[in-house]
């Protein structure tokens, strides 16, 4: 069986005795040239139950070059066996017992291969032959892995084809609104051999000979800068934080990025890489424009030596509907990078057309910058770990095959190579891929240069937006929840006297919650939203009215209302009191700005109309009049004493005074002047029950 596309290990169908696996671990050079020596290394493993005897590994090379990209795909899918060619090198291996393996190393001077007679792509085959069991069986093929070899002699008349590479540096939105990191995964990506480190190093090497446009998420760079200054990471299930361990890694990576992008083309993605199509569909195109502006400003500040490409947009996965095109155009984009399948040709062509097309939008014409679908597919299928030699070699061969279609047309054609947003190819894949920077058939053409080109006369169908992309968007319910979050941020910002301290972090948090990273991560995004919402709720709750019970004992006076500001900066609020019954009338008062960590009593003038309990709803509002928080209930008991009640009380007091005087006079008259005072003899008058007087 032939090798499946981009597989690292190829096998023939396993027999009853088991299978044999071949892993190609190295192929150099990736591009064959005159005077070079081809070396293919790897291992052969026996996963069967029988001994594999008389084992040899052969290197085959096709007799002729491939004729088209379609034939290349068919060969690599194992659908064509006629390209196996001749054996050009062979090594023998020891017998392989069950569960054992052995390395191989195949070497061949390419000038000694007569089949290599012109520019093009040839098929390589790594074939394993052997005999199973103890019988005298003749050795036969037990495994075959196919690879490709672009042959590039000093051919007269070969005009290179233009290639423009998008190189994304996009991460996960790990920063929280409070400045703490949700996890320390970014440190692993920045470490030597980590995903972002691999991409940065490979992009730098590729940019040495190819046209690379760095597509960078500004949130990633800003987050790395924060890490470099020291940071803390959520721990213990969110109940505490610990120091992050990646500050040194962040400093090194940021310095390397600034060096790599100095003078280079940099496409500033919208801040935090929002799901622009979903946001526009939700009816919030202003959010897309805001994210683009914030993103460009952030990279201008953090990568000052880079050459920003401000007027090109790259929607997620290279797909956008017509409404999104209009929103991007209104936000300043004059060109949009799309997957070529979004704007297919009306007829099948015998060659790969240039990646430039005309697009129209409600806001005017837009330059269509179309990524080659075949290259996009191969890049997306790159292995994330292990050996990616074969996959990387196929990508290099694809570029040679494109040039071989029209070897004399030169840079009249330019193709875009578009990896996925959060690409994570293995190191061996990248090592193989970057060799295209020195390919004689590939001319570097920048993205702005392609945008400035005249589109070829190729008829294309209407703009497509696949159903799969529509289903993958951030859901409408999520975006509605973010609307609430954004509104609450605006309310909080409305009372702050210094909007440069907390507000930018909260606004950035909102942009990060709109990130395309959250596509398909339902549980993670709900948890993140809950964490950010709780933080904002806590901040807003630090400015409040203190509830309380009050007694109002006069016809007019003042009620003390306590306002609390537990923030570290002054706030400006409006206090509004609304009695729920007409027994009490309250006047409006002006509240001075509340200082940091301050508790202030505001005396509110009041007048009583009638006695009883009055519930007063006390609310804080922004200076613009918007309700800041739900009202707090103040309970006021009105105990005003009227004129009639006052007369009755005075009369009762006079009666009691006269009665007490009469009793004293009677006691004096009964007393015997000769009697001796006996302290143990109780006074009959003094033994009376107390008088219960109720006013």
């Amino acid at each position: 069986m032939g090798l499946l596309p981009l597989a690292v290990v190829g096998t023939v169908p396993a027999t009853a005795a088991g299978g044999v696996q071949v892993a190609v671990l190295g192929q150099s050079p990736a591009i064959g040239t005159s005077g070079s020596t081809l070396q293919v290394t790897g291992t052969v493993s026996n996963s069967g139950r029988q001994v594999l005897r008389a084992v040899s590994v052969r290197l085959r090379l096709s007799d002729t070059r491939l004729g088209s990209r379609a034939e290349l795909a068919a060969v690599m899918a194992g659908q064509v066996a006629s390209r196996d060619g001749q054996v050009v090198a062979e090594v023998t291996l020891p017998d392989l017992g069950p569960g054992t393996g052995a390395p191989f190393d195949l070497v061949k001077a390419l000038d000694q291969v007569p089949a290599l007679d012109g520019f093009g792509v040839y098929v390589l085959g790594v074939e394993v032959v052997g005999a199973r069991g103890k019988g005298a069986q003749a050795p036969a093929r037990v495994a075959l892995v196919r690879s490709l070899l672009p042959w590039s002699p000093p051919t007269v008349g070969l005009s290179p084809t233009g290639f423009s590479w998008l190189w994304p540096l996009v991460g996960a939105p790990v920063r929280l609104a409070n400045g703490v990191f949700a996890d320390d995964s970014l440190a692993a990506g920045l470490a030597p051999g980590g995903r972002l480190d691999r991409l940065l190093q490979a992009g730098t090497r590729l940019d040495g000979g190819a046209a690379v446009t760095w597509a960078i998420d500004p949130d990633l760079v800003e987050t790395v800068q924060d890490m470099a200054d020291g940071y803390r990471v959520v721990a213990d299930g969110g109940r505490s934080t610990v120091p992050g361990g990646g500050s040194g890694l962040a400093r090194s990576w940021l310095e390397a990025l600034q060096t790599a992008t100095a003078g280079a083309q940099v496409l500033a993605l919208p801040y935090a890489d929002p799901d622009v199509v979903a946001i526009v569909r939700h009816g919030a195109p202003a959010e897309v424009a805001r994210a683009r502006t914030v993103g460009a400003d952030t990279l201008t500040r953090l990568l000052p030596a880079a050459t920003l490409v401000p007027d090109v947009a790259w929607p997620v996965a290279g797909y956008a509907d017509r409404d999104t095109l209009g929103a991007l155009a209104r936000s300043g984009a004059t060109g949009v990078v799309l997957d070529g399948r979004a704007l297919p040709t009306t007829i099948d062509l015998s060659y790969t057309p240039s990646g430039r097309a005309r697009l129209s939008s409600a806001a005017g014409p837009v330059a269509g910058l179309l990524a080659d679908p075949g290259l996009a597919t191969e890049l997306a299928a790159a292995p994330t770990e292990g050996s990616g030699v074969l996959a990387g070699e196929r990508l290099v061969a694809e570029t040679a095959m494109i040039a071989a279609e029209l070897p004399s047309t030169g840079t009249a054609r330019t193709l875009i190579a578009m990896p996925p947003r959060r690409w994570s190819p293995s190191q061996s894949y990248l090592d193989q891929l970057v060799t295209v920077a020195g390919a004689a058939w590939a001319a570097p053409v920048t993205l702005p240069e392609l945008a400035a080109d005249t589109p070829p006369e190729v008829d294309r169908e209407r703009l497509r937006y696949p159903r799969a992309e529509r289903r993958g968007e951030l859901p409408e319910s999520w975006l509605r929840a973010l609307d609430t979050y954004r509104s609450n941020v605006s309310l909080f910002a409305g009372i702050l006297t210094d909007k440069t301290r907390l507000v930018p972090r909260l606004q950035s948090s909102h942009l990060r919650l709109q990130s395309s990273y959250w596509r398909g991560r339902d549980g993670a995004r709900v948890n993140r939203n809950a964490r950010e919402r709780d933080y904002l709720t806590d901040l807003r709750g630090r400015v409040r009215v203190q509830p309380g019970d009050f007694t109002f004992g006069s016809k007019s006076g003042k009620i003390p209302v306590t306002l609390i500001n537990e923030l570290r900066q002054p706030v400006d609020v409006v206090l509004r009191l609304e009695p729920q019954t007409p027994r009490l009338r309250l006047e409006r008062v002006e509240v001075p700005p509340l200082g940091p960590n301050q508790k202030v009593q505001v005396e509110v003038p009041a007048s009583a109309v009638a006695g009883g309990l009055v519930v007063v709803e006390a609310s804080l509002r922004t200076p613009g009049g918007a309700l800041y928080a739900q009202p707090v209930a103040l309970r006021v008991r009105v105990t005003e004493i009227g004129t009639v009640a006052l007369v009755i009380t005075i009369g009762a007091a006079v009666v009691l005074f006269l009665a007490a005087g009469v009793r004293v006079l009677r006691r004096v008259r009964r007393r015997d002047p000769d009697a001796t005072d006996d302290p143990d003899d109780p006074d009959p008058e003094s033994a009376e029950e107390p008088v219960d007087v109720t006013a």
Side-chain angles (χ1 to χ4, degrees):
M1 181 178 70
L3 177 67
L4 294 177
L6 296 180
V8 174
V9 177
T11 66
V12 295
T15 65
V20 175
Q21 288 78 40
V22 181
V24 175
L25 303 178
Q27 178 180 327
S28 65
I31 300 170
T33 58
S34 180
S36 62
T37 298
L38 178 65
Q39 182 178 27
V40 179
T41 59
T43 60
V44 177
S45 302
N46 180 13
S47 61
R49 298 179 180 177
Q50 291 182 307
V51 175
L52 187 65
R53 305 179 186 278
V55 184
S56 64
V57 183
R58 300 170 176 175
L59 182 64
R60 290 183 173 272
L61 183 68
S62 61
D63 297 325
T64 58
R65 54 182 178 255
L66 293 171
S68 67
R69 297 181 74 185
E71 185 182 15
L72 185 154
V75 168
M76 298 305 290
Q79 299 170 356
V80 176
S82 60
R83 290 288 188 173
D84 289 348
Q86 305 299 316
V87 176
V88 297
E90 183 175 7
V91 294
T92 59
L93 299 181
D95 293 350
L96 299 178
T100 64
F104 65 84
D105 188 350
L106 298 163
V107 179
K108 182 65 177 180
L110 293 179
D111 284 343
Q112 299 175 7
V113 181
L116 299 174
D117 61 352
F119 169 70
V121 177
Y122 294 77
V123 179
L124 278 180
V126 178
E127 178 187 47
V128 180
V129 297
R132 300 181 185 279
K134 299 180 180 180
Q137 297 178 349
R141 176 185 290 180
V142 293
L144 175 67
V145 170
R146 291 189 177 91
S147 184
L148 300 163
L149 177 67
W151 174 246
S152 181
T155 305
V156 177
L158 173 64
S159 296
T161 298
F163 285 91
S164 189
W165 292 81
L166 274 178
W167 206 257
L169 294 177
V170 184
V174 296
R175 270 189 308 168
L176 302 176
N178 61 0
V180 177
F181 285 41
D183 55 56
D184 213 6
S185 58
L186 183 54
L190 301 177
R195 183 182 75 88
L196 292 168
D197 176 70
R198 296 197 307 271
L199 289 175
L200 178 56
Q201 300 302 327
T204 303
R205 292 160 59 194
L206 182 63
D207 201 22
V212 171
T213 299
W214 299 86
I216 302 178
D217 176 9
D219 174 55
L220 170 65
V221 184
E222 193 174 60
T223 300
V224 172
Q225 184 193 47
D226 282 355
M227 289 179 66
D229 295 332
Y231 65 107
R232 299 190 69 82
V233 179
V234 171
D236 193 23
R239 290 183 290 272
S240 62
T241 63
V242 296
S247 294
L249 297 171
R251 284 191 295 272
S252 298
W253 190 87
L254 185 57
E255 290 172 1
L257 176 64
Q258 291 169 339
T259 300
T261 58
Q265 301 285 328
V266 173
L267 171 59
L269 295 175
Y271 190 91
D273 187 34
D275 192 340
V276 295
V277 181
I279 294 169
V280 172
R281 191 189 306 281
H282 177 62
E287 286 297 296
V288 175
R290 181 167 73 95
R292 280 175 51 80
T293 300
V294 173
D297 291 345
T298 301
L299 285 195
T300 298
R301 173 171 52 88
L302 298 178
L303 301 178
T307 302
L308 289 191
V309 183
D311 51 358
V312 173
W314 179 24
V316 180
Y319 287 101
D321 58 16
R322 197 157 295 279
D323 289 341
T324 303
L325 284 182
L328 291 172
R330 283 187 290 272
S331 71
T334 59
V336 179
V337 178
L338 298 174
D339 190 301
R341 285 163 286 204
L343 213 66
T345 59
T346 56
I347 61 173
D348 290 334
L349 301 175
S350 60
Y351 65 94
T352 305
S354 185
R356 180 70 171 83
R358 293 181 176 88
L359 280 171
S360 61
S361 73
V366 177
L369 307 175
L370 306 183
D372 179 70
L375 295 179
T377 298
E378 304 299 341
L379 290 165
T384 59
E385 56 185 19
S387 177
V389 171
L390 296 183
E393 189 64 38
R394 176 169 179 178
L395 195 283
V396 176
E398 286 278 359
T399 64
M401 198 72 248
I402 292 169
E405 294 170 339
L406 299 173
S408 61
T409 59
T411 54
R413 288 187 305 157
T414 296
L415 283 86
I416 299 175
M418 181 187 73
R421 271 294 202 279
R422 294 171 179 83
W423 199 31
S424 183
S426 67
Q427 185 61 56
S428 57
Y429 178 91
L430 290 171
D431 289 341
Q432 210 75 4
L433 180 151
V434 297
T435 60
V436 78
W441 64 80
V445 178
T446 67
L447 211 58
E449 289 172 340
L450 176 60
D453 281 350
T454 301
E457 296 300 326
V458 175
D459 292 331
R460 294 185 178 272
E461 298 179 11
R462 292 171 60 87
L463 183 67
R464 292 182 179 179
Y465 188 70
R467 291 182 179 178
E469 290 297 319
R470 175 70 179 90
R471 290 193 297 268
E473 292 175 12
L474 291 177
E476 175 67 16
S477 58
W478 171 255
L479 296 176
R480 286 197 301 269
L482 298 190
D483 287 345
T484 301
Y485 182 82
R486 182 182 60 211
S487 297
N488 289 334
V489 171
S490 297
L491 283 173
F492 181 60
I495 70 168
L496 299 179
T497 57
D498 182 1
K499 295 177 174 56
T500 64
R501 292 169 61 182
L502 291 172
V503 177
R505 293 196 317 193
L506 293 168
Q507 291 174 334
S508 297
S509 168
H510 177 252
L511 290 175
R512 285 192 287 270
L513 290 171
Q514 295 179 140
S515 174
S516 63
Y517 172 82
W518 302 114
R519 281 187 169 194
R521 294 179 168 91
D522 298 351
R525 70 169 179 253
V526 169
N527 291 338
R528 173 64 63 84
N529 186 40
R531 183 185 293 275
E532 299 292 69
R533 185 187 62 232
D534 290 347
Y535 173 66
L536 178 57
T537 299
D538 175 68
L539 285 178
R540 293 182 62 197
R542 296 183 187 185
V543 180
R544 62 188 183 274
V545 179
Q546 180 172 292
D549 294 338
F550 307 92
T551 300
F552 193 70
S554 61
K555 189 172 183 178
S556 63
K558 295 182 178 180
I559 297 176
V561 178
T562 302
L563 306 183
I564 299 173
N565 174 24
E566 294 176 339
L567 297 174
R568 296 180 180 178
Q569 65 166 293
V571 297
D572 192 2
V573 294
V574 175
L575 174 64
R576 181 168 297 179
L577 301 174
E578 297 180 355
Q580 301 303 293
T581 60
R583 295 189 182 96
L584 192 66
R585 295 176 181 171
L586 302 173
E587 297 181 15
R588 290 194 177 185
V589 294
E590 294 292 332
V591 179
L594 304 180
N597 295 310
Q598 192 175 68
K599 181 185 292 186
V600 176
Q601 274 197 348
V602 177
E603 293 187 339
V604 181
S607 59
V609 177
L613 179 64
V614 180
V615 176
V616 178
E617 287 191 347
S619 62
L620 293 180
R621 294 178 178 265
T622 67
L627 180 64
Y628 176 74
Q630 291 302 312
V632 171
L634 305 179
R635 296 165 57 88
V636 181
R637 185 172 298 278
V638 179
T639 59
E640 181 196 0
I641 302 177
T643 304
V644 176
L646 182 61
V647 171
I648 294 173
T649 302
I650 294 174
V654 171
V655 171
L656 287 175
F657 178 78
L658 293 175
V662 171
R663 289 175 181 171
V664 171
L665 182 59
R666 287 176 180 174
R667 186 178 305 168
V668 170
R669 288 178 178 175
R670 285 200 303 265
R671 182 180 296 274
D672 184 354
D674 297 329
T676 304
D677 293 333
D678 186 353
D680 296 328
D681 185 14
D683 184 351
E685 297 293 337
S686 65
E688 294 183 17
E689 293 292 329
V691 177
D692 185 7
V693 178
T694 303

